[in-house]
Amino acid sequence: MLIMKSLINPSISSPLHYSKPNSRNPKPLKTHQLCCFRKNGEVNGLSKPTSQMESGGHDNAEMSQKQSLSSNVEPEMKHNDIWGLFREAQQNILYLNKQRLRAVEELNKANQEKQLLLDKILQFEAENHGGSGKDKLSICWELLHRIDSMVFTGLINAGEASDLRKLVLDYKVSVADVFTDTLQKRDAELLAELRHFSNGSKKSGYHIIHICTEMEPFVSVGSLASYVSGLSCALQRKGHLVEVILPKYASLDLDGVQGLREIEAESYSYFNGQLHGNKIWTGVFSGIGVTFIQPLYYSSFFSRERVYGYSDDFERFAYFSRASLDYILKSGKQPDVLHIHNWETAIVGPLFWDIFVKQCLEHPDKLALCGLDPVRLHRPDRLQDNNKTHLVNILKGGLVYSNKAVIMSSIYSKGRIVRSLGHGLESTLAVHQDKLLVAPNGFENSTWDPSNDKFLPENFCAEDLKGKTVCKVSLQQQLGLSKNASTILVGCIFSDLSDVVENVKAVVRDASMKGIQFIFMGNRALASFQEELKDGNVRFIDSHDDALSHLIFAGSDIMLCQSFHDPVLQVPQKALKYGAAPIAVNPDDIGFRHFVDFDRGTSKFSQFISSTFGNMFLSQALDEIKNNPSNWKRRIMDAMTQDFSWDAECCDIHVSAYSALENL
């Protein structure tokens, strides 16, 4: 037993290593001899063999016991040490794995930020290609603004300015190529270059000037801002030259304006019996020429906290309207179309015909502030209000004095507007109905297109809807909803819910009990509802998030709408494009079944929505998704192929209005 343990434990077997066999006796040593060697190798004397044997036996037993204990303890200690090292290694591996996952998440986040930055750079380069970061249309606009400046400084007269401007418009493609490197020259040198220029391609579009009080992204209060920018970009893409004149509000965000510069000479305009100076600022935004008028004497008109809502709003916008026309006249511009908007600039109509066509000025009362004769205009067939006959209605004046009038309505027909939706101007609309056109609102299709939307984890189109499923799961994951592509998801993006908030609550309570998921964004009117409804299937986002709003449209099966006439957010039109059915909170409440009478002036959007989703309640839509999924999918795919952007019906109707002016 001792030898066996010695053989497996070198520390115990080492005494055996020093033992020497007796040269006379080749037999192995007996066990008791293991502890009887002297240092010199001789054996002890045998005078007391018994005591020696007893002593040897006792020593040998003690030694054996120690060796046995040692041999049992050491493997156990080693075994514990090994497990301790193993557990420590496991903990280190888990820690390193957590660190690796964290590093991967940070890397993914960095890659996403990098991709967004690259996308912005690519977009910026695409918008500003050529000409040292400027596209050809921007170069043309810089030339046109330089011509305006030459007129104001007296370098050329209005007649020559008109000829040079026509030269740029007629040959804008070649002009941009030739004058890319000459824009840094002085006016006199640039004028010499322009006078010698005689090569290029003929223009085919209209020169359109919008006189308005809002435009995205500079100033936005209501739907007018997105309408002006959306329509202008659409017209520009179709070959027309578009210019926008705005007041220079103190709160303007002008970061996106290319080549913003002040014309060195003042522009004077008539107001309250005198001429007053204005500063004129010009620039280019998205290929559109923008001009800002800044009053000097009446500097407080547009340096206020709000855009509208002051007791002198008439004076403020009458001043701006008159200053806009004076600027156009002084600069020698001869646009094909003057496009005015809402009551704030409607006075441009009578101003143009009574002042700038006839060139006469008269001065009593409020209309006299900008040179109009209230006695001549305060008549039933002109500006006299139809109900409060002691007042003038500026919007009525714009309608009476315009050649064409476009009414923005996505759902109402022309006949319905003339008969009962004219806000007190029904009789005037009836008299002038031949000049009326109805156009639907649109959306910016360069930004809202699921096939190339940079905010989506995977793009999709009507022919391939796989990416929409990816977007839904990504949206569910991001908002902590149960991830299930087969769960019906309803998106809700509202600008105002004050009229239908109780209906929305009832709809959500009923549907969420059936496992339907809801996502609300951008309306604080539902904050109390969030407290009332403790439901894992409902999420509320108080503030607007651009990237998340794109994902909501892409991931939703249905978009709940307050109305199909949504000029601010354009939810119904965007929903159709992203394969989400627009469903009204309550079709009966908003009376959609009476919107479409298919008479003259009904928009294609109105006709399409009434024949598909317009008369559906949410419960009906949910039933069809569950019970007839193939038919529902065909509806969605058909809707996605429709084009209800600014570039489509809305732009076409406006161009038809501009074209009709040529025959007047």
Side-chain angles (χ1 to χ4, degrees):
M1 183 174 179
L2 178 63
I3 295 175
M4 187 177 293
K5 287 195 176 282
S6 297
L7 291 177
I8 63 173
N9 192 331
S11 63
I12 298 177
S13 65
S14 57
L16 294 176
H17 184 71
Y18 293 102
S19 61
K20 295 182 179 180
N22 192 315
S23 58
R24 299 177 184 177
N25 187 2
K27 294 181 180 180
L29 293 174
K30 293 181 179 180
T31 304
H32 70 277
Q33 292 177 325
L34 292 176
C35 299
C36 298
F37 289 112
R38 294 181 181 271
K39 291 182 180 180
N40 58 7
E42 296 179 356
V43 181
N44 270 336
L46 301 177
S47 57
K48 295 181 179 179
T50 304
S51 62
Q52 287 176 351
M53 291 181 67
E54 289 176 356
S55 175
H58 174 76
D59 292 342
N60 192 45
E62 184 179 353
M63 184 179 208
S64 175
Q65 185 178 3
K66 289 181 179 180
Q67 287 175 336
S68 177
L69 290 172
S70 177
S71 64
N72 288 330
V73 170
E74 289 192 16
E76 184 176 353
M77 291 176 61
K78 288 180 177 293
H79 177 77
N80 292 337
D81 290 344
I82 291 170
W83 275 107
L85 291 171
F86 178 73
R87 284 192 296 271
E88 185 177 350
Q90 277 188 318
Q91 292 174 352
N92 289 336
I93 291 170
L94 289 173
Y95 173 77
L96 291 173
N97 193 43
K98 288 181 180 179
Q99 293 294 98
R100 182 185 67 81
L101 291 174
R102 187 178 300 173
V104 169
E105 289 177 0
E106 292 177 355
L107 180 61
N108 289 337
K109 183 178 178 181
N111 286 335
Q112 290 175 354
E113 293 175 351
K114 176 185 174 183
Q115 187 61 46
L116 287 174
L117 181 60
L118 288 173
D119 290 341
K120 288 182 179 179
I121 292 172
L122 290 173
Q123 182 181 359
F124 181 78
E125 290 177 348
E127 292 175 352
N128 301 281
H129 62 84
S132 301
K134 297 172 185 174
D135 59 27
K136 292 182 178 181
L137 202 52
S138 297
I139 294 171
C140 288
W141 268 114
E142 288 201 17
L143 282 169
L144 292 171
H145 288 149
R146 292 287 292 276
I147 293 170
D148 295 346
S149 178
M150 293 175 194
V151 178
F152 281 90
T153 57
L155 188 61
I156 57 176
N157 59 36
E160 185 175 7
S162 179
D163 293 338
L164 291 175
R165 196 173 289 109
K166 187 174 184 298
L167 179 73
V168 175
L169 296 179
D170 288 352
Y171 301 99
K172 54 178 175 279
V173 174
S174 299
V175 162
D177 292 334
V178 172
F179 288 91
T180 299
D181 298 326
T182 60
L183 289 176
Q184 301 304 318
K185 294 185 178 181
R186 293 179 300 172
D187 282 354
E189 295 174 300
L190 184 57
L191 178 60
E193 295 280 349
L194 281 168
R195 284 171 172 167
H196 287 88
F197 178 77
S198 61
N199 187 25
S201 59
K202 200 71 175 173
K203 81 159 186 175
S204 58
Y206 298 110
H207 178 197
I208 303 154
I209 296 181
H210 291 269
I211 301 176
C212 54
T213 55
E214 295 181 46
M215 179 186 181
E216 283 186 346
F218 310 123
V219 54
S220 179
V221 178
S223 60
L224 176 62
S226 60
Y227 162 67
V228 170
S229 58
L231 177 62
S232 297
C233 289
L235 290 166
Q236 199 101 293
R237 283 191 287 266
K238 294 197 175 184
H240 306 285
L241 192 73
V242 184
E243 184 174 0
V244 178
I245 302 178
L246 293 157
K248 193 174 187 298
Y249 303 101
S251 58
L252 282 177
D253 179 5
L254 301 177
D255 290 342
V257 180
Q258 293 179 348
L260 182 66
R261 62 190 295 268
E262 177 191 346
I263 293 179
E264 294 180 0
E266 287 184 5
S267 171
Y268 289 89
S269 63
Y270 180 87
F271 189 75
N272 200 15
Q274 298 182 40
L275 292 176
H276 298 281
N278 305 290
K279 283 186 179 182
I280 305 296
W281 300 77
T282 61
V284 181
F285 176 77
S286 294
I288 300 166
V290 289
T291 300
F292 304 98
I293 295 180
Q294 178 183 3
L296 296 178
Y297 182 77
Y298 290 98
S299 58
S300 66
F301 273 177
F302 303 111
S303 61
R304 303 177 187 180
E305 183 179 353
R306 303 189 310 272
V307 174
Y308 310 119
Y310 297 99
S311 60
D312 61 346
D313 276 357
F314 173 81
E315 288 87 346
R316 297 169 64 223
F317 295 114
Y319 182 97
F320 165 69
S321 298
R322 177 64 193 253
S324 299
L325 284 175
D326 282 321
Y327 163 71
I328 292 171
L329 180 69
K330 177 67 184 294
S331 62
K333 296 177 186 289
Q334 294 183 346
D336 300 296
V337 179
L338 278 181
H339 195 144
I340 57 180
H341 302 268
N342 295 352
W343 76 263
E344 288 86 0
T345 57
I347 203 168
V348 169
L351 275 172
F352 179 76
W353 291 110
D354 275 22
I355 301 298
F356 289 90
V357 172
K358 296 182 179 179
Q359 289 292 306
C360 62
L361 299 176
E362 299 176 87
H363 313 279
D365 258 345
K366 275 208 169 185
L367 289 177
L369 288 172
C370 49
L372 292 171
D373 182 356
V375 176
R376 290 181 63 252
L377 296 178
H378 195 200
R379 290 167 35 178
D381 61 335
R382 298 188 182 179
L383 271 69
Q384 186 182 48
D385 189 75
N386 296 338
N387 299 314
K388 299 178 180 179
T389 56
H390 64 291
L391 300 175
V392 292
N393 188 316
I394 305 303
L395 185 59
K396 177 181 175 180
L399 175 64
V400 170
Y401 280 86
S402 64
N403 298 109
K404 286 288 180 181
V406 180
I407 299 174
M408 299 302 296
S409 175
S410 296
I411 50 179
Y412 293 106
S413 67
K414 176 180 173 179
R416 180 77 190 282
I417 293 169
V418 171
R419 289 193 300 270
S420 58
L421 297 173
H423 300 284
L425 293 177
E426 286 82 4
S427 60
T428 304
L429 291 171
V431 172
H432 296 276
Q433 60 182 311
D434 289 342
K435 68 169 68 170
L436 299 182
L437 295 169
V438 178
N441 290 282
F443 63 93
E444 185 55 55
N445 61 1
S446 63
T447 304
W448 292 92
D449 184 352
S451 65
N452 56 27
D453 192 326
K454 301 296 184 182
F455 290 114
L456 304 185
E458 186 170 325
N459 296 119
F460 60 93
C461 61
E463 295 76 23
D464 183 4
L465 290 172
K466 289 185 295 185
K468 186 168 178 65
T469 301
V470 175
C471 291
K472 175 190 279 191
V473 174
S474 176
L475 179 60
Q476 291 169 328
Q477 181 177 11
Q478 187 169 336
L479 296 181
L481 292 167
S482 174
K483 291 186 291 181
N484 189 342
S486 63
T487 301
I488 298 175
L489 197 155
V490 180
C492 313
I493 301 178
F494 299 120
S495 57
D496 181 24
L497 268 181
S498 55
D499 296 334
V500 294
V501 64
E502 293 304 320
N503 288 341
V504 170
K505 290 180 179 181
V507 166
V508 173
R509 285 194 185 99
D510 180 58
S512 63
M513 292 174 62
K514 301 175 183 178
I516 309 302
Q517 296 177 340
F518 286 85
I519 298 174
F520 289 90
M521 171 180 273
N523 197 281
R524 296 182 180 179
L526 286 171
S528 60
F529 183 36
Q530 184 176 4
E531 296 299 322
E532 297 173 26
L533 185 69
K534 300 296 183 181
D535 194 315
N537 287 326
V538 184
R539 293 292 182 272
F540 295 87
I541 301 103
D542 291 338
S543 58
H544 181 78
D545 182 288
D546 201 24
L548 185 55
S549 67
H550 281 248
L551 190 57
I552 291 174
F553 277 100
S556 297
D557 299 291
I558 292 171
M559 290 299 295
L560 202 60
C561 306
Q562 179 183 357
S563 169
F564 292 111
H565 178 65
D566 184 359
V568 178
L569 300 176
Q570 304 103 31
V571 169
Q573 292 91 336
K574 293 173 183 175
L576 292 173
K577 186 69 175 179
Y578 278 70
I583 301 295
V585 174
N586 190 332
D588 282 346
D589 285 349
I590 61 175
F592 185 75
R593 289 172 181 167
H594 305 291
F595 284 173
V596 184
D597 43 23
F598 293 101
D599 65 358
R600 222 164 28 121
T602 301
S603 70
K604 294 177 183 177
F605 171 79
S606 185
Q607 295 176 29
F608 180 83
I609 202 71
S610 68
S611 63
T612 53
F613 309 106
N615 295 314
M616 276 190 175
F617 292 91
L618 180 61
S619 58
Q620 293 173 312
L622 296 176
D623 288 342
E624 184 166 342
I625 293 176
K626 292 180 179 179
N627 301 327
N628 199 349
S630 59
N631 184 59
W632 182 265
K633 184 177 181 181
R634 281 194 299 270
R635 283 182 185 241
I636 293 298
M637 293 173 66
D638 181 41
M640 292 181 68
T641 61
Q642 307 297 317
D643 186 1
F644 296 118
S645 66
W646 294 116
D647 295 68
E649 185 179 12
C650 180
C651 183
D652 292 342
I653 289 173
H654 282 82
V655 171
S656 70
Y658 303 153
S659 301
L661 300 179
E662 293 182 329
N663 301 320
L664 295 177

